[in-house]
């Protein structure tokens, strides 16, 4: 099986996000980055597919040069080949442009299955996989919690619906799946894996050379802290003092005690 | 400018986000001083179309086809594409439902357009429409404009506009049928019956007090700290998604878009950052209290009471304080 997994490098989950140029852009100076958490589950699903069905896992990322770190991480965990589509803009590229760049590269390959995480934790579009399926003319299922079965050129997956409902979906391969978080336990890279990763091939493209235009169908005019919808009363002091004040409020103001 | 709202139903039952989206459509149509249409797709949906027509819209479009009797991304994409071709809307609003997440961006891409999801506010200034959405798990807001051509495709976050107060009027808007052509071979996916993994025995929606734990609890061995507080308060224990994904609490205690929607008198969030997917499930609570060590956690945007601190110290102290008050 030719398994392709799309990865994004995003700011670490607990990052404090600061603005620059009066909210015109995100201040990237203090940020550290990691593999987008939902993509880690997609990667794990891809590596398991290879272990069960044979084949190769190719990981693809669109991002600045630093995004090579997530490709190296994936190679260390068991992916066989990496592709980095370089693009200097971190936060002003919409999902449409990213999907077009991925489609430009993947249309030259012959994937049996393409996996993405369900969304990126930074911009939160949750669109890249769905658009990519359209651009590659592949059937897709989104928010997949389980690959139930693969047989005779078709695949059955379990998809999550709202409010705790699920549904199985059958479709022919090749197909694209967006993988829900928490559906498996992503492995760690082994020392041997990290060593091997250094010898695995990585190809580089530039998003502009791929003819992706426009890079921006949407413009973020400004970033800002969300306005508070409620006036929060904060309780300070030691943990005990704060807890006592909150308990008082719950009794006398919220009247729930 | 003309505005089209796509209403969603599951097997003849309205998705409640349809009403939120309709209110968003009414709001933006008023701002733009333009007409508002609504679209409904399916099979045998005349009663729904008639109901929609009494809810302050100028026109209702109905796209009926046997192959639309159940949802498919291919079927919905093809049908709505044809409707757009016929009625040429400039701005199309969708509920940010799981279905729309599945076909909305695909439909837009087919028409060479981008899609803007999870919009929480729409403003019009000098004929320029700005859409507000949240980034970084709700930590940041951004105002976004489109630079591609009309129509614009957007989805409205659940609860961003309040559809629950929308009442039918005595007026019927005209209902217009739109013929759509779908070939069975166009639909590449086969969808099975809906099912639930386990019958949920816990009904959190009727709980008056909920103590809910998130990632901040760090390890399943700490769950009893939260459980102790829930017991002291006489409330139910709940959790955000990552806690259930890790198996630290059963799925039936999950609050959020993929779990239960709750509206207790008190929702006490422990170590929950307040990502959008969680907040849509609990923001209807009368009072929200949050304990979190990150002062920038979005949960504090909606909290009435907040403690910025170490939950492993604060929660046991709070449990003691509550038990002491109850003993008095």
């Amino acid at each position: 099986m030719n398994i392709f997994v799309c990865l994004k490098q995003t700011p670490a989950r607990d990052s404090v996000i600061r603005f620059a140029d009066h909210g015109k852009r995100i201040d990237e100076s203090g940020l550290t980055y990691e593999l987008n958490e939902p993509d880690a589950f997609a990667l794990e699903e891809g590596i398991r597919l290879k272990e069960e069905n044979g084949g190769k896992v190719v990981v693809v990322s669109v991002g600045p040069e630093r995004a090579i770190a997530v490709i190296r991480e994936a190679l260390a965990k068991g992916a066989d080949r990496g592709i980095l589509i370089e693009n200097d803009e971190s936060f002003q590229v919409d999902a449409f442009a990213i999907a077009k760049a991925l489609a430009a590269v993947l249309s030259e390959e012959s994937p049996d299955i393409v996996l993405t995480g369900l969304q990126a934790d930074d911009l939160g579009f949750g669109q890249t996989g769905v658009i990519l399926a359209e651009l590659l003319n592949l059937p897709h299922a989104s928010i997949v919690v389980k690959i139930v079965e693969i047989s005779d050129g078709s695949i059955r997956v379990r998809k999550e619906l709202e409010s705790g409902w699920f549904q199985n979906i059958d479709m022919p391969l090749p197909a694209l799946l967006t993988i829900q978080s928490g559906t498996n336990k992503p492995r760690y890279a082994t020392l041997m894996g990290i060593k091997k990763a250094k010898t695995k091939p990585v190809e580089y493209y530039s998003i502009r050379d791929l003819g992706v235009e426009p890079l921006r169908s949407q413009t973020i005019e400004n970033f800002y802290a969300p306005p508070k919808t409620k006036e929060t009363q904060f309780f300070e002091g030691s943990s005990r003092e704060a807890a006592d004040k909150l308990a008082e409020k719950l009794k006398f103001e919220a009247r729930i005690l | 400018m003309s505005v089209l709202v796509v209403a969603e139903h599951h097997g003849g039952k309205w998705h409640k986000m349809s009403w939120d989206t309709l209110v968003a459509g009414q709001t933006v149509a008023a701002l733009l001083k333009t007409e508002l249409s609504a679209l409904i797709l399916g099979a045998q949906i005349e009663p729904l179309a008639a109901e929609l027509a009494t809810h302050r819209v100028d026109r209702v479009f109905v796209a009926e086809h046997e192959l639309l009797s159940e949802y498919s991304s291919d079927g919905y994409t093809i049908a709505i594409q044809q409707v757009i071709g016929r009625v040429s809307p400039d701005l199309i609003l969708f509920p940010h439902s799981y279905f729309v997440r599945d076909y909305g961006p695909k439909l837009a891409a087919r028409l060479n357009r981008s899609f803007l999801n999870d919009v929480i506010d729409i403003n019009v200034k000098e004929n320029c429409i700005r859409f507000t959405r949240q980034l970084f798990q709700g930590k940041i807001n951004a105002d976004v404009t489109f630079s591609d051509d009309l129509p614009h495709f957007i989805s409205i976050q659940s609860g961003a506009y309040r559809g629950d107060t929308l009442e039918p009027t005595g007026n019927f808007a005209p209902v217009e049928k739109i013929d759509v052509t779908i070939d069975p071979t166009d639909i590449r996916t086969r969808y099975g019956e809906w099912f639930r993994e386990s019958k949920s025995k816990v009904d959190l929606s009727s709980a008056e007090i909920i103590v809910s734990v998130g990632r901040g609890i760090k390890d399943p061995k700490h769950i009893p700290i939260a459980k102790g507080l829930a017991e002291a308060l006489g409330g139910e224990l709940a959790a955000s998604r990552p806690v259930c994904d890790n198996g630290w609490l059963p799925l039936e205690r999950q609050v959020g878009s993929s779990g239960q929607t709750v509206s207790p008198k008190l929702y006490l969030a422990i170590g929950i950052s307040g990502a959008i997917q969680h907040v849509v499930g609990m923001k209807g609570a009368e009072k929200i209290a949050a304990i979190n060590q990150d002062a920038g956690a979005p949960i504090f945007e909606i909290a009435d009471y907040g403690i910025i601190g170490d939950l492993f110290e604060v929660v046991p102290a709070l449990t003691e304080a509550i038990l002491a008050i109850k003993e008095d």
Side-chain angles (χ1 to χ4, degrees):
Chain A
M1 283 191 109
N2 277 328
I3 302 154
F4 283 75
V5 186
C6 305
L7 305 175
K8 187 174 188 183
Q9 190 191 43
T10 52
R13 247 192 117 85
D14 53 0
S15 296
V16 176
I17 309 293
R18 294 193 179 82
F19 312 119
D21 299 344
H22 307 283
K24 286 286 171 204
R25 56 185 188 85
I26 300 280
D27 177 6
E28 294 180 50
S29 58
L31 291 178
T32 56
Y33 298 89
E34 61 190 18
L35 173 59
N36 176 45
E37 189 183 77
D39 296 347
F41 296 99
L43 174 63
E44 178 63 30
E45 210 58 50
I47 297 170
R48 288 185 191 189
L49 275 177
K50 176 178 94 161
E51 286 167 350
E52 285 156 25
N53 302 282
K56 295 255 186 287
V57 173
V58 185
V59 290
V60 196
S61 186
V62 181
E65 212 181 334
R66 58 174 160 74
I68 191 66
V70 299
I71 289 180
R72 294 270 177 235
E73 180 183 338
L75 294 175
K77 287 179 177 177
D80 300 283
R81 176 158 72 97
I83 300 172
L84 177 62
I85 303 170
E86 285 190 79
N87 171 47
D88 291 334
E89 275 280 6
S90 303
F91 303 112
Q92 277 285 14
V93 188
D94 43 77
F96 195 22
I98 289 178
K100 282 191 272 191
L102 292 168
V105 170
L106 291 193
S107 60
E108 299 296 317
E109 308 271 350
S110 44
D112 294 304
I113 193 158
V114 183
L115 305 174
T116 71
L118 124 122
Q119 63 178 27
D121 283 340
D122 53 359
L123 300 183
F125 282 122
Q127 297 185 18
T128 302
V130 174
I131 300 173
L132 181 58
E134 169 65 19
L135 298 177
L136 293 174
N137 197 22
L138 298 179
H140 80 273
S142 61
I143 321 189
V144 167
V145 295
K146 190 178 181 186
I147 296 174
V148 181
E149 172 170 47
I150 294 179
S151 63
D152 291 340
S154 73
I155 186 166
R156 170 172 291 183
V157 300
R158 182 158 307 159
K159 171 186 167 56
E160 179 183 303
L161 300 161
E162 275 151 74
S163 308
W165 291 93
F166 296 88
Q167 178 181 45
N168 286 342
I169 303 185
D170 295 321
M171 64 197 137
L173 291 172
L176 183 143
L177 312 176
T178 82
I179 304 293
Q180 173 63 290
S181 295
T183 51
N184 54 37
K185 205 139 189 69
R187 68 194 65 196
Y188 293 99
T190 60
L191 268 178
M192 179 61 93
I194 294 166
K195 226 169 141 185
K196 269 195 192 163
K198 290 179 182 145
T199 63
K200 291 178 177 174
V202 179
E203 295 150 60
Y204 293 81
Y205 295 89
S206 140
I207 196 166
R208 288 188 190 277
D209 295 344
L210 292 172
V212 177
E213 293 295 343
L215 275 178
R216 199 188 277 192
S217 307
Q218 300 164 358
T219 303
I220 297 178
E221 301 290 343
N222 52 326
F223 299 94
Y224 52 98
K228 292 179 76 69
T229 57
K230 279 190 183 165
E231 200 58 56
T232 313
Q233 302 182 47
F234 282 103
F235 307 113
E236 291 166 358
S238 69
S239 293
R240 175 153 305 281
E241 287 160 358
D244 284 345
K245 288 179 205 162
L246 174 55
E248 288 286 303
K249 285 287 173 184
L250 295 182
K251 179 175 165 69
F252 294 109
E253 199 177 86
R255 296 180 184 282
I256 57 111
L257 287 178
Chain B
M1 274 299 222
S2 62
V3 182
L4 177 69
V5 166
V6 179
E8 184 170 316
H9 67 97
H10 298 163
K13 228 180 117 200
W14 289 110
H15 191 306
K16 78 173 177 54
M17 281 167 68
S18 294
W19 305 115
D20 297 350
T21 310
L22 191 59
V23 171
Q26 289 162 349
T27 309
V28 69
L31 287 172
L32 293 166
K33 301 181 180 65
T34 185
E35 288 211 334
L36 174 68
S37 312
L39 166 67
I40 180 160
L41 304 100
Q44 285 102 44
I45 45 170
E46 285 92 349
L48 293 179
E51 192 182 346
L52 201 51
T54 61
H55 281 80
R56 299 177 200 279
V57 292
D58 297 302
R59 189 176 302 275
V60 172
F61 296 112
V62 185
E64 278 197 298
H65 197 288
E66 262 318 299
L67 291 171
L68 295 174
S69 63
E70 66 167 10
Y71 168 79
S72 68
S73 54
D74 285 329
Y76 268 50
T77 300
I78 291 165
I80 301 177
Q81 183 188 7
Q82 291 174 26
V83 172
I84 291 169
R86 281 279 304 282
V87 309
S88 309
D90 296 315
L91 180 61
I92 310 171
L93 275 57
F94 300 82
H96 189 62
S97 65
Y98 274 39
F99 283 170
V100 169
R101 288 158 78 170
D102 193 60
Y103 78 82
K106 171 186 169 76
L107 168 68
R110 188 163 293 184
L111 295 163
N112 197 26
R113 297 291 185 281
S114 63
F115 189 94
L116 188 63
N117 57 296
D118 251 313
V119 168
I120 57 169
D121 198 17
I122 305 172
N123 285 293
V124 179
K125 218 157 94 188
E126 288 150 13
N127 258 348
C128 171
I129 316 179
R130 280 186 175 219
F131 303 91
T132 304
R133 66 187 298 269
Q134 298 191 301
L135 314 177
F136 294 94
Q137 304 281 300
K139 280 192 230 174
I140 304 259
N141 277 18
D143 289 342
V144 184
T145 55
F146 280 95
S147 31
D148 53 5
D149 293 331
L150 296 169
H152 298 328
F153 292 80
I154 70 159
S155 67
I156 302 291
Q157 191 185 108
S158 172
Y161 290 82
R162 297 298 295 265
D164 48 3
T165 54
L166 193 64
E167 295 283 342
T169 65
N171 301 328
F172 278 87
V175 176
E176 189 181 320
K177 280 201 171 191
I178 296 188
D179 291 326
V180 291
T181 315
I182 309 170
D183 190 272
T185 57
D186 291 336
I187 298 170
R188 296 168 290 183
T189 37
R190 275 216 323 276
Y191 294 79
E193 293 292 315
W194 292 27
F195 63 93
R196 279 190 154 138
E197 297 263 275
S198 64
K199 283 255 183 299
S200 182
K201 290 176 207 83
V202 185
D203 181 15
L204 296 173
S205 64
S206 58
E208 296 214 324
I209 297 172
I210 292 176
V211 173
S212 196
V213 284
R215 256 176 218 272
I217 201 82
K218 292 199 176 108
D219 192 285
K221 70 174 188 233
H222 301 312
I223 294 281
I225 301 175
K227 199 163 176 225
L229 179 57
E231 280 164 7
L233 284 164
E236 287 281 355
L237 186 62
S240 66
R241 177 157 198 131
V243 170
C244 298
D245 278 345
N246 283 322
W248 300 347
L249 277 173
L251 258 173
E252 59 190 17
R253 294 198 178 266
Q254 183 180 317
V255 168
S257 58
S258 51
Q260 301 196 46
T261 300
V262 298
S263 45
K265 284 190 176 155
L266 173 69
Y267 192 90
L268 212 160
I270 301 173
I272 290 177
S273 68
I276 299 160
Q277 296 85 346
H278 184 73
V279 167
V280 295
M282 48 64 77
K283 65 182 168 191
E286 262 175 57
K287 293 281 183 193
I288 296 169
I291 299 168
N292 203 299
Q293 61 181 5
D294 176 9
I299 192 77
F300 288 125
E301 287 153 29
I302 57 166
D304 300 276
Y305 307 123
I307 295 178
I308 300 162
D310 180 354
L311 72 89
F312 300 109
E313 286 183 13
V314 175
V315 175
L318 183 60
T319 307
E320 274 179 40
I322 282 161
L323 288 174
I325 288 175
K326 282 198 161 173
E327 270 173 30
D328 276 349

